């Protein structure tokens, strides 16, 4: 069985499995030969260009296992009969940790103090703080739960929103009434047609004066122009690991908008994720080989 994997580490962790031939394709350089023989494809972390055409030619493909939680780069092009699985859980620790770090960085003004340090300036002043604030988690899945676990101890109130309401979790329809209550709004929703552009001028206008928007979801969830307008008005601040477009081109107005802290989609790019993804790949391949049900199969909305 031929498998394309995104790294030598992934090939190594599968090397003892019977009848498995791994070919490393990390997304750089030319595509390996023999796409039409591949049965399992684990695409690289960064989405591959021309994926629609590539998938259309992978006639023996049975399983597409992403190394990301988001499957938006592949889902629209999935051929009939191919099972799509995501890496749910793999990036929970890294992403939740990033979100807490980003909140604290912005509220405690670390980027400004870092700039002052480079200039050799002692800029004493009071800053914001996370304690006593209300954090609204929009998208309360596996990463949202990991974030909430990490927020315990920070003396915050947590509000939760998910697609469907459940105990202690509000439904999306309740979001407009919750936005004005939050000091920090954290976006963790998957990128779907429903969430694309969800954070528009109306969403942002409903946020409290001085509130912080944290985006660890996808850039396209936020209307960038509307966010830039709010940042320029000095009404909101933002911590963004994802942007639209991505990579954010030099000279884009978001780079220089006041009150924004940007990281280049790195929340899940850590050794913790690297370790977890190898464990997931091995367990998924063992299941696939044994004909057992796979984990993290994406069927309906995810
Ligand atoms: C990262 O962006 C992911 O979807 O896991």
């Amino acid at each position: 069985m031929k498998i394309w994997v995104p790294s030598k580490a992934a090939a190594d962790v599968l090397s003892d499995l019977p009848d498995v031939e791994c070919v490393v394709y990390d997304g750089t350089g030319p595509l390996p030969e023999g796409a039409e023989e591949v049965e399992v494809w684990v695409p690289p972390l960064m989405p591959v260009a021309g994926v629609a055409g590539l998938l259309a030619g992978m006639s023996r493909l049975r399983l597409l296992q992403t190394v990301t939680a988001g499957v938006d780069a592949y889902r629209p092009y999935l051929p009939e009969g191919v099972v799509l699985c995501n890496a749910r859980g793999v990036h929970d620790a890294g992403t939740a940790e990033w979100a807490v770090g980003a909140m604290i960085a912005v509220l405690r003004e670390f980027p400004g103090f870092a700039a002052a340090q480079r200039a050799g300036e002692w800029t004493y002043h009071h800053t914001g703080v996370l304690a006593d604030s209300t954090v609204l988690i929009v998208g309360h899945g596996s990463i949202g739960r990991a974030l909430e676990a990490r927020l315990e101890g920070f003396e915050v109130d947590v509000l939760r929103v998910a697609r469907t309401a459940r105990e202690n979790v509000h439904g999306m329809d309740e979001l407009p009434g919750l936005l004005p209550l939050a000091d920090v709004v954290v976006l963790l929703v998957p990128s779907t047609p429903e969430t694309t552009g969800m954070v528009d001028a109306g969403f942002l206008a409903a946020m409290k004066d001085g509130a912080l928007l944290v985006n660890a979801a996808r850039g396209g969830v936020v209307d960038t122009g509307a966010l830039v307008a709010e940042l320029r008005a000095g009404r909101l601040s933002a911590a963004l690991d994802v942007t639209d477009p991505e990579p954010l081109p030099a000279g884009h107005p978001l780079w220089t908008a006041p009150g924004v802290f940007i990281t280049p989609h790195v929340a899940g790019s850590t050794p913790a994720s690297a370790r977890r993804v190898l464990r997931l790949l091995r367990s998924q391949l063992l299941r696939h080989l044994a004909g057992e049900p796979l984990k993290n199969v994406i069927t309906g909305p995810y």
Side-chain angles (χ1 to χ4, degrees), residues 67-70 91 217-218 265:
V67 296
T68 49
H91 304 293
R218 284 290 182 271
H265 205 149

Side-chain angles (χ1 to χ4, degrees), residues 11-233:
D12 287 348
V13 87
L14 304 177
S15 63
D16 64 320
L17 302 186
D19 303 322
V20 162
E21 183 206 338
C22 283
V23 175
V24 175
Y25 175 53
D26 68 2
T28 62
L31 210 59
E33 299 283 300
E36 65 289 349
E37 293 157 22
V38 174
E39 186 172 324
V40 178
W41 183 24
V42 185
L45 193 64
M46 293 303 152
V48 172
V51 75
L54 177 57
L55 279 173
M58 297 177 94
S59 46
R60 292 180 68 173
L61 191 65
R62 290 294 160 266
L63 167 62
L64 198 162
Q65 169 67 59
T66 67
V67 296
T68 49
V71 293
D72 42 299
Y74 302 98
R75 196 175 195 196
Y77 315 111
L78 202 70
E80 195 73 18
V82 177
V83 176
L84 174 64
C85 296
N86 76 352
R88 180 182 173 86
V90 162
H91 304 293
D92 291 3
T95 306
E97 197 173 289
W98 176 89
V100 175
M103 280 175 216
I104 291 174
V106 173
L107 294 170
R108 305 307 306 263
E109 301 185 25
F110 287 173
F113 287 123
Q117 181 185 350
R118 283 193 294 277
E121 289 170 7
W122 187 264
T123 56
Y124 176 84
H125 60 277
H126 280 228
T127 69
V129 71
L130 190 52
D132 306 334
S133 60
T134 297
V135 178
L136 171 61
I137 300 177
V138 183
H140 198 259
S142 154
I143 298 175
R145 280 191 293 279
L147 171 59
E148 192 170 345
R150 280 153 183 81
L151 286 173
E152 273 174 30
F154 280 96
E155 301 184 39
V156 295
D157 288 327
V158 176
L159 295 171
R160 307 154 199 91
V161 171
R163 192 190 328 257
T164 37
R166 43 190 181 264
E167 204 183 343
N168 293 325
V169 181
H170 299 273
M172 277 293 176
D173 53 328
E174 294 174 79
L175 190 55
L178 298 170
L179 284 171
L181 308 177
D183 302 287
V184 182
V185 176
V186 188
L187 304 174
L188 290 172
V189 288
S191 171
T192 65
E194 294 76 44
T195 62
T196 300
M198 180 179 94
V199 182
D200 57 8
F203 182 114
L204 295 169
M207 286 173 64
K208 244 189 206 181
D209 283 353
L212 165 65
L213 179 75
V214 178
N215 192 0
R218 284 290 182 271
V221 172
V222 177
D223 176 337
T224 303
L227 178 61
V228 168
E230 287 283 9
L231 294 168
R232 284 190 175 152

